[in-house]
Amino acid sequence: MGFAGHLPELVIILVAALVIFGPKRLPEIGNAMGKSIKEFKKGVEDSHQPDELPSKDVRLPEREPVAARPEPAATAAATERPTPTPQEPKPE
């Protein structure tokens, strides 16, 4: 369904806007909405562009080497709980 399929809804919305805002204010509102959409698109396009990259002459500070992580003291086998054995019923 293209544009023609939604034509009755569009006509109703335009008539309602004309009644609410009047014929003098409707062009102003349309102009303001067009500018808003244009600024929004510009903002979205600007946010997708990468920021200015530093030139190749700029040197980044050297990092200190990261110390190796120590091994954990307990192994997985030491932390496992033993499975309980079923107890035999006591003879009466």
Side-chain angles (χ1 to χ4, degrees), residues 13-38:
I13 292 171
L14 290 176
V15 168
L18 182 64
V19 169
I20 293 171
F21 297 112
K24 292 183 180 179
R25 294 258 341 246
L26 206 57
E28 295 172 9
I29 293 171
N31 190 13
M33 287 180 64
K35 287 180 181 178
S36 299
I37 292 171
K38 183 178 177 181

Side-chain angles (χ1 to χ4, degrees), residues 9-90:
E9 291 91 353
L10 183 61
V11 169
I12 291 171
I13 292 171
L14 290 176
V15 168
L18 182 64
V19 169
I20 293 171
F21 297 112
K24 292 183 180 179
R25 294 258 341 246
L26 206 57
E28 295 172 9
I29 293 171
N31 190 13
M33 287 180 64
K35 287 180 181 178
S36 299
I37 292 171
K38 183 178 177 181
E39 287 295 321
F40 178 76
K41 285 182 179 180
K42 183 180 177 185
V44 169
E45 288 174 1
D46 289 346
S47 69
H48 289 300
Q49 294 177 354
D51 293 336
E52 186 177 318
L53 298 175
S55 64
K56 292 184 178 182
D57 297 338
V58 176
R59 291 185 177 243
L60 297 175
E62 294 184 20
R63 292 184 174 181
E64 295 180 18
V66 179
R69 292 186 180 181
E71 292 294 323
T75 62
T79 58
E80 290 181 5
R81 294 183 181 171
T83 56
T85 57
Q87 296 180 356
E88 296 180 14
K90 295 181 182 178

